Amino acid sequence: MNIKVAQIYFNEETKLNCFDWTNHYDNSNATDSDIKYFENKVISNLVADNQHKDSDYFGVWSHSFKYKVSQNPNYGRLNKEYLEKFIIDNHCPDVVGFFAKFKQENIFAQAESYHHGFNRAFSLMLKHAIGLDFTTIKHAIYIMQNHWIAKPQIYEKYVNEMLNPCIEVLENKAYGDLQELIWNPIQKYSNQRERFKQNPKLKEQLGGDYPLHPFLLERLPSLYFTLEKIKNEYR
């Protein structure tokens, strides 16, 4: 089974965080425009280059994957052999997620508690990008922060049908109502110093504050797989 994961790093220190079995992706030359999207612009570019095509399962993770999923009880066994067995034992699901759940299982309510203005911005982004009325969504499966792998055809559909349209909207200055929300400093984000330590380029390029861009996009897979009724498993 070909499980192909690109794991992003920015310098030699962050490269040490990557698993030895993933493909290490040097993103040290990320542009000022792209850096605010975290791994999402890399995802878009790799799919556009058909890097997912020759795999059975494809994923793009950040170097901080292990910090984010360390609460997952199976984290210590996370290697290719374990993943292959899990996938086969679970009848080859379309998507496998790894993120340990928050106590607040509604990922959109959880986001608003961390990032003031999230739900309003998320609603506007989806309305402008794909014409979706987000207020009708009451529940979504739990997949977060691009800590997942999927069959390549599913991955490609997600990128082309939801991720790319949303990135285009976030870049479009014509949506003034949305732009005002996404560029407001995030007052409630408690781990900002640690994030800047892991990726010093962010502090330099973003001027000291995180915009909402990455936090909006990291919840898109959960929404997309729910809407499309994608078969998923959590590890």
Side-chain angles (χ1 to χ4, degrees):
M1 182 180 296
N2 184 10
I3 300 173
K4 186 177 181 181
V5 175
Q7 195 163 12
I8 301 167
Y9 71 95
F10 293 91
N11 52 36
E12 289 304 311
E13 181 181 359
T14 54
K15 187 176 182 179
L16 294 175
N17 297 332
C18 299
F19 292 108
D20 57 7
W21 56 270
T22 58
N23 298 321
H24 300 168
Y25 184 96
D26 183 358
N27 203 32
S28 58
N29 292 321
T31 66
D32 290 5
S33 176
D34 288 354
I35 196 72
K36 62 182 176 290
Y37 290 105
F38 294 176
E39 56 269 23
N40 289 288
K41 271 299 186 74
V42 175
I43 289 171
S44 179
N45 292 337
L46 289 178
V47 169
D49 289 340
N50 294 318
Q51 295 299 308
H52 61 300
K53 292 283 191 181
D54 61 345
S55 65
D56 297 306
Y57 285 86
F58 182 75
V60 180
W61 301 345
S62 75
H63 67 89
S64 59
F65 180 97
K66 65 181 181 181
Y67 300 114
K68 294 297 183 179
V69 304
S70 58
Q71 294 181 1
N72 184 318
N74 294 304
Y75 166 70
R77 295 183 288 173
L78 194 55
N79 54 47
K80 257 189 177 178
E81 292 73 24
Y82 174 78
L83 285 180
E84 287 177 2
K85 184 177 186 306
F86 174 82
I87 288 169
I88 293 170
D89 288 349
N90 286 276
H91 311 291
C92 298
D94 294 321
V95 176
V96 179
F98 304 95
F99 193 84
K101 293 184 178 182
F102 291 112
K103 291 180 181 178
Q104 167 60 272
E105 292 199 10
N106 184 317
I107 67 169
F108 307 118
Q110 181 272 341
E112 183 66 31
S113 70
Y114 274 75
H115 314 297
H116 182 65
F118 175 91
N119 283 337
R120 174 65 176 156
F122 200 63
S123 295
L124 287 170
M125 178 183 70
L126 292 167
K127 175 185 175 183
H128 294 320
I130 58 175
L132 177 67
D133 180 5
F134 174 62
T135 62
T136 64
I137 307 300
K138 304 302 180 185
H139 173 73
I141 63 174
Y142 208 97
I143 289 181
M144 274 277 287
Q145 298 179 340
N146 296 310
H147 298 148
W148 52 280
I149 57 175
K151 292 178 179 177
Q153 64 271 26
I154 299 295
Y155 209 102
E156 181 176 338
K157 279 175 60 65
Y158 159 69
V159 170
N160 291 334
E161 296 177 6
M162 184 166 279
L163 179 62
N164 284 343
C166 285
I167 290 176
E168 290 174 9
V169 163
L170 293 177
E171 289 290 292
N172 193 334
K173 299 298 188 292
Y175 300 119
D177 51 355
L178 178 59
Q179 291 295 318
E180 183 177 353
L181 286 169
I182 62 180
W183 283 108
N184 278 339
I186 297 168
Q187 303 297 338
K188 297 183 180 181
Y189 189 62
S190 61
N191 201 25
Q192 185 162 281
R193 287 185 179 180
E194 184 61 28
R195 284 287 193 126
F196 284 145
K197 181 181 177 182
Q198 293 176 22
N199 181 8
K201 286 192 69 173
L202 285 173
K203 185 172 181 61
E204 175 186 347
Q205 295 181 353
L206 298 180
D209 290 312
Y210 269 72
L212 274 177
H213 301 64
F215 310 112
L216 295 168
L217 298 181
E218 72 183 4
R219 287 164 175 82
L220 286 181
S222 184
L223 177 63
Y224 183 77
F225 301 146
T226 299
L227 294 173
E228 294 294 311
K229 297 180 172 60
I230 300 296
K231 179 184 176 185
N232 70 96
E233 293 290 346
Y234 168 72
R235 265 302 82 191

